[in-house]
PDB file of all heavy atoms in Angstrom:
ATOM      1  N   LYS A 100     -53.758 -18.427   1.922  1.00 80.00           N
ATOM      2  CA  LYS A 100     -52.570 -18.933   1.260  1.00 80.00           C
ATOM      3  C   LYS A 100     -51.287 -18.601   2.055  1.00 80.00           C
ATOM      4  O   LYS A 100     -51.139 -17.405   2.401  1.00 80.00           O
ATOM      5  CB  LYS A 100     -52.467 -18.414  -0.148  1.00 80.00           C
ATOM      6  CG  LYS A 100     -53.574 -18.817  -1.092  1.00 80.00           C
ATOM      7  CD  LYS A 100     -53.411 -18.290  -2.466  1.00 80.00           C
ATOM      8  CE  LYS A 100     -54.496 -18.746  -3.389  1.00 80.00           C
ATOM      9  NZ  LYS A 100     -54.310 -18.193  -4.763  1.00 80.00           N
ATOM     10  N   THR A 101     -50.451 -19.555   2.290  1.00 81.00           N
ATOM     11  CA  THR A 101     -49.214 -19.269   2.997  1.00 81.00           C
ATOM     12  C   THR A 101     -48.142 -18.920   2.038  1.00 81.00           C
ATOM     13  O   THR A 101     -47.843 -19.745   1.129  1.00 81.00           O
ATOM     14  CB  THR A 101     -48.788 -20.506   3.880  1.00 81.00           C
ATOM     15  OG1 THR A 101     -49.858 -20.824   4.798  1.00 81.00           O
ATOM     16  CG2 THR A 101     -47.528 -20.173   4.648  1.00 81.00           C
ATOM     17  N   LEU A 102     -47.502 -17.840   2.188  1.00 82.00           N
ATOM     18  CA  LEU A 102     -46.428 -17.437   1.265  1.00 82.00           C
ATOM     19  C   LEU A 102     -45.121 -17.599   1.913  1.00 82.00           C
ATOM     20  O   LEU A 102     -44.885 -17.215   3.059  1.00 82.00           O
ATOM     21  CB  LEU A 102     -46.599 -15.898   0.874  1.00 82.00           C
ATOM     22  CG  LEU A 102     -47.927 -15.499   0.204  1.00 82.00           C
ATOM     23  CD1 LEU A 102     -47.945 -14.026  -0.083  1.00 82.00           C
ATOM     24  CD2 LEU A 102     -48.042 -16.280  -1.132  1.00 82.00           C
ATOM     25  N   LYS A 103     -44.209 -18.296   1.146  1.00 79.00           N
ATOM     26  CA  LYS A 103     -42.849 -18.535   1.688  1.00 79.00           C
ATOM     27  C   LYS A 103     -41.982 -17.377   1.252  1.00 79.00           C
ATOM     28  O   LYS A 103     -41.873 -17.064   0.063  1.00 79.00           O
ATOM     29  CB  LYS A 103     -42.355 -19.871   1.086  1.00 79.00           C
ATOM     30  CG  LYS A 103     -43.110 -21.051   1.616  1.00 79.00           C
ATOM     31  CD  LYS A 103     -42.481 -22.375   1.120  1.00 79.00           C
ATOM     32  CE  LYS A 103     -43.227 -23.578   1.700  1.00 79.00           C
ATOM     33  NZ  LYS A 103     -42.645 -24.861   1.217  1.00 79.00           N
ATOM     34  N   VAL A 104     -41.303 -16.799   2.219  1.00 79.00           N
ATOM     35  CA  VAL A 104     -40.387 -15.662   1.931  1.00 79.00           C
ATOM     36  C   VAL A 104     -38.963 -16.130   1.845  1.00 79.00           C
ATOM     37  O   VAL A 104     -38.470 -16.850   2.719  1.00 79.00           O
ATOM     38  CB  VAL A 104     -40.567 -14.572   3.093  1.00 79.00           C
ATOM     39  CG1 VAL A 104     -39.629 -13.413   2.806  1.00 79.00           C
ATOM     40  CG2 VAL A 104     -42.001 -14.153   3.209  1.00 79.00           C
ATOM     41  N   GLY A 105     -38.353 -15.755   0.770  1.00 80.00           N
ATOM     42  CA  GLY A 105     -36.951 -16.148   0.552  1.00 80.00           C
ATOM     43  C   GLY A 105     -36.028 -15.263   1.347  1.00 80.00           C
ATOM     44  O   GLY A 105     -36.411 -14.248   1.957  1.00 80.00           O
ATOM     45  N   HIS A 106     -34.735 -15.594   1.332  1.00 82.00           N
ATOM     46  CA  HIS A 106     -33.734 -14.839   2.002  1.00 82.00           C
ATOM     47  C   HIS A 106     -32.342 -15.028   1.292  1.00 82.00           C
ATOM     48  O   HIS A 106     -32.286 -15.807   0.366  1.00 82.00           O
ATOM     49  CB  HIS A 106     -33.661 -15.148   3.440  1.00 82.00           C
ATOM     50  CG  HIS A 106     -33.397 -16.588   3.740  1.00 82.00           C
ATOM     51  ND1 HIS A 106     -34.346 -17.575   3.735  1.00 82.00           N
ATOM     52  CD2 HIS A 106     -32.245 -17.249   3.973  1.00 82.00           C
ATOM     53  CE1 HIS A 106     -33.839 -18.728   4.027  1.00 82.00           C
ATOM     54  NE2 HIS A 106     -32.539 -18.547   4.135  1.00 82.00           N
ATOM     55  N   MET A 107     -31.356 -14.356   1.759  1.00 88.00           N
ATOM     56  CA  MET A 107     -30.041 -14.357   1.112  1.00 88.00           C
ATOM     57  C   MET A 107     -29.393 -15.745   1.232  1.00 88.00           C
ATOM     58  O   MET A 107     -29.408 -16.359   2.252  1.00 88.00           O
ATOM     59  CB  MET A 107     -29.165 -13.285   1.735  1.00 88.00           C
ATOM     60  CG  MET A 107     -27.920 -13.019   0.970  1.00 88.00           C
ATOM     61  SD  MET A 107     -26.934 -11.620   1.680  1.00 88.00           S
ATOM     62  CE  MET A 107     -28.118 -10.246   1.448  1.00 88.00           C
ATOM     63  N   HIS A 108     -28.777 -16.151   0.076  1.00 92.00           N
ATOM     64  CA  HIS A 108     -28.005 -17.435   0.082  1.00 92.00           C
ATOM     65  C   HIS A 108     -26.815 -17.305   1.033  1.00 92.00           C
ATOM     66  O   HIS A 108     -26.178 -16.198   1.084  1.00 92.00           O
ATOM     67  CB  HIS A 108     -27.614 -17.706  -1.376  1.00 92.00           C
ATOM     68  CG  HIS A 108     -27.081 -19.069  -1.542  1.00 92.00           C
ATOM     69  ND1 HIS A 108     -25.739 -19.420  -1.250  1.00 92.00           N
ATOM     70  CD2 HIS A 108     -27.650 -20.206  -2.086  1.00 92.00           C
ATOM     71  CE1 HIS A 108     -25.610 -20.723  -1.588  1.00 92.00           C
ATOM     72  NE2 HIS A 108     -26.700 -21.147  -2.072  1.00 92.00           N
ATOM     73  N   PRO A 109     -26.408 -18.380   1.666  1.00 93.00           N
ATOM     74  CA  PRO A 109     -25.279 -18.256   2.593  1.00 93.00           C
ATOM     75  C   PRO A 109     -23.956 -17.818   1.923  1.00 93.00           C
ATOM     76  O   PRO A 109     -23.153 -17.142   2.503  1.00 93.00           O
ATOM     77  CB  PRO A 109     -25.115 -19.712   3.164  1.00 93.00           C
ATOM     78  CG  PRO A 109     -25.971 -20.560   2.257  1.00 93.00           C
ATOM     79  CD  PRO A 109     -27.013 -19.696   1.718  1.00 93.00           C
ATOM     80  N   LEU A 110     -23.759 -18.170   0.625  1.00 94.00           N
ATOM     81  CA  LEU A 110     -22.542 -17.754  -0.036  1.00 94.00           C
ATOM     82  C   LEU A 110     -22.647 -16.233  -0.306  1.00 94.00           C
ATOM     83  O   LEU A 110     -21.572 -15.566  -0.092  1.00 94.00           O
ATOM     84  CB  LEU A 110     -22.386 -18.472  -1.400  1.00 94.00           C
ATOM     85  CG  LEU A 110     -21.948 -19.970  -1.289  1.00 94.00           C
ATOM     86  CD1 LEU A 110     -21.798 -20.525  -2.708  1.00 94.00           C
ATOM     87  CD2 LEU A 110     -20.675 -20.056  -0.545  1.00 94.00           C
ATOM     88  N   GLN A 111     -23.765 -15.724  -0.791  1.00 94.00           N
ATOM     89  CA  GLN A 111     -23.897 -14.259  -0.995  1.00 94.00           C
ATOM     90  C   GLN A 111     -23.748 -13.503   0.306  1.00 94.00           C
ATOM     91  O   GLN A 111     -23.132 -12.449   0.372  1.00 94.00           O
ATOM     92  CB  GLN A 111     -25.242 -13.977  -1.647  1.00 94.00           C
ATOM     93  CG  GLN A 111     -25.440 -12.510  -2.022  1.00 94.00           C
ATOM     94  CD  GLN A 111     -24.471 -12.055  -3.041  1.00 94.00           C
ATOM     95  OE1 GLN A 111     -23.981 -12.768  -3.912  1.00 94.00           O
ATOM     96  NE2 GLN A 111     -24.137 -10.779  -2.986  1.00 94.00           N
ATOM     97  N   LYS A 112     -24.322 -14.101   1.372  1.00 94.00           N
ATOM     98  CA  LYS A 112     -24.258 -13.456   2.716  1.00 94.00           C
ATOM     99  C   LYS A 112     -22.794 -13.365   3.151  1.00 94.00           C
ATOM    100  O   LYS A 112     -22.336 -12.313   3.625  1.00 94.00           O
ATOM    101  CB  LYS A 112     -25.050 -14.308   3.702  1.00 94.00           C
ATOM    102  CG  LYS A 112     -25.146 -13.683   5.073  1.00 94.00           C
ATOM    103  CD  LYS A 112     -26.043 -14.521   5.967  1.00 94.00           C
ATOM    104  CE  LYS A 112     -26.191 -13.913   7.423  1.00 94.00           C
ATOM    105  NZ  LYS A 112     -27.041 -14.732   8.241  1.00 94.00           N
ATOM    106  N   THR A 113     -22.017 -14.465   2.952  1.00 94.00           N
ATOM    107  CA  THR A 113     -20.605 -14.445   3.332  1.00 94.00           C
ATOM    108  C   THR A 113     -19.809 -13.490   2.469  1.00 94.00           C
ATOM    109  O   THR A 113     -18.954 -12.744   2.961  1.00 94.00           O
ATOM    110  CB  THR A 113     -20.074 -15.885   3.238  1.00 94.00           C
ATOM    111  OG1 THR A 113     -20.839 -16.776   3.964  1.00 94.00           O
ATOM    112  CG2 THR A 113     -18.645 -15.934   3.717  1.00 94.00           C
ATOM    113  N   LEU A 114     -20.119 -13.486   1.143  1.00 95.00           N
ATOM    114  CA  LEU A 114     -19.393 -12.590   0.213  1.00 95.00           C
ATOM    115  C   LEU A 114     -19.581 -11.121   0.654  1.00 95.00           C
ATOM    116  O   LEU A 114     -18.622 -10.391   0.668  1.00 95.00           O
ATOM    117  CB  LEU A 114     -19.919 -12.782  -1.183  1.00 95.00           C
ATOM    118  CG  LEU A 114     -19.276 -11.832  -2.249  1.00 95.00           C
ATOM    119  CD1 LEU A 114     -17.778 -11.942  -2.314  1.00 95.00           C
ATOM    120  CD2 LEU A 114     -19.932 -12.089  -3.610  1.00 95.00           C
ATOM    121  N   GLU A 115     -20.837 -10.703   0.943  1.00 95.00           N
ATOM    122  CA  GLU A 115     -21.030  -9.351   1.297  1.00 95.00           C
ATOM    123  C   GLU A 115     -20.357  -8.975   2.648  1.00 95.00           C
ATOM    124  O   GLU A 115     -19.845  -7.868   2.773  1.00 95.00           O
ATOM    125  CB  GLU A 115     -22.548  -9.086   1.403  1.00 95.00           C
ATOM    126  CG  GLU A 115     -23.240  -9.136   0.091  1.00 95.00           C
ATOM    127  CD  GLU A 115     -24.609  -8.526   0.083  1.00 95.00           C
ATOM    128  OE1 GLU A 115     -24.992  -7.957   1.108  1.00 95.00           O
ATOM    129  OE2 GLU A 115     -25.319  -8.594  -0.993  1.00 95.00           O
ATOM    130  N   GLU A 116     -20.321  -9.953   3.538  1.00 95.00           N
ATOM    131  CA  GLU A 116     -19.629  -9.710   4.819  1.00 95.00           C
ATOM    132  C   GLU A 116     -18.115  -9.503   4.562  1.00 95.00           C
ATOM    133  O   GLU A 116     -17.488  -8.523   5.138  1.00 95.00           O
ATOM    134  CB  GLU A 116     -19.852 -10.868   5.749  1.00 95.00           C
ATOM    135  CG  GLU A 116     -19.287 -10.655   7.105  1.00 95.00           C
ATOM    136  CD  GLU A 116     -19.627 -11.748   8.128  1.00 95.00           C
ATOM    137  OE1 GLU A 116     -20.379 -12.688   7.716  1.00 95.00           O
ATOM    138  OE2 GLU A 116     -19.170 -11.745   9.218  1.00 95.00           O
ATOM    139  N   VAL A 117     -17.493 -10.305   3.727  1.00 96.00           N
ATOM    140  CA  VAL A 117     -16.078 -10.186   3.422  1.00 96.00           C
ATOM    141  C   VAL A 117     -15.821  -8.844   2.692  1.00 96.00           C
ATOM    142  O   VAL A 117     -14.853  -8.118   2.989  1.00 96.00           O
ATOM    143  CB  VAL A 117     -15.576 -11.388   2.493  1.00 96.00           C
ATOM    144  CG1 VAL A 117     -14.169 -11.119   2.003  1.00 96.00           C
ATOM    145  CG2 VAL A 117     -15.639 -12.654   3.283  1.00 96.00           C
ATOM    146  N   GLN A 118     -16.696  -8.540   1.708  1.00 96.00           N
ATOM    147  CA  GLN A 118     -16.535  -7.302   0.918  1.00 96.00           C
ATOM    148  C   GLN A 118     -16.571  -6.025   1.941  1.00 96.00           C
ATOM    149  O   GLN A 118     -15.786  -5.142   1.787  1.00 96.00           O
ATOM    150  CB  GLN A 118     -17.566  -7.148  -0.160  1.00 96.00           C
ATOM    151  CG  GLN A 118     -17.323  -8.101  -1.274  1.00 96.00           C
ATOM    152  CD  GLN A 118     -18.336  -8.016  -2.413  1.00 96.00           C
ATOM    153  OE1 GLN A 118     -18.052  -8.289  -3.533  1.00 96.00           O
ATOM    154  NE2 GLN A 118     -19.506  -7.550  -2.081  1.00 96.00           N
ATOM    155  N   ASN A 119     -17.569  -6.056   2.799  1.00 96.00           N
ATOM    156  CA  ASN A 119     -17.720  -4.916   3.714  1.00 96.00           C
ATOM    157  C   ASN A 119     -16.499  -4.786   4.685  1.00 96.00           C
ATOM    158  O   ASN A 119     -16.089  -3.685   5.013  1.00 96.00           O
ATOM    159  CB  ASN A 119     -18.959  -5.091   4.576  1.00 96.00           C
ATOM    160  CG  ASN A 119     -20.220  -4.869   3.737  1.00 96.00           C
ATOM    161  OD1 ASN A 119     -20.199  -4.141   2.798  1.00 96.00           O
ATOM    162  ND2 ASN A 119     -21.335  -5.442   4.163  1.00 96.00           N
TER     163      ASN A 119
END
Side-chain angles (χ1 to χ4, degrees):
K100 295 181 179 179
T101 302
L102 299 178
K103 294 184 178 179
V104 180
H106 57 277
M107 192 176 294
H108 191 280
L110 286 181
Q111 183 63 30
K112 184 177 181 179
T113 305
L114 174 60
E115 292 197 5
E116 186 174 356
V117 171
Q118 289 182 154
N119 287 335

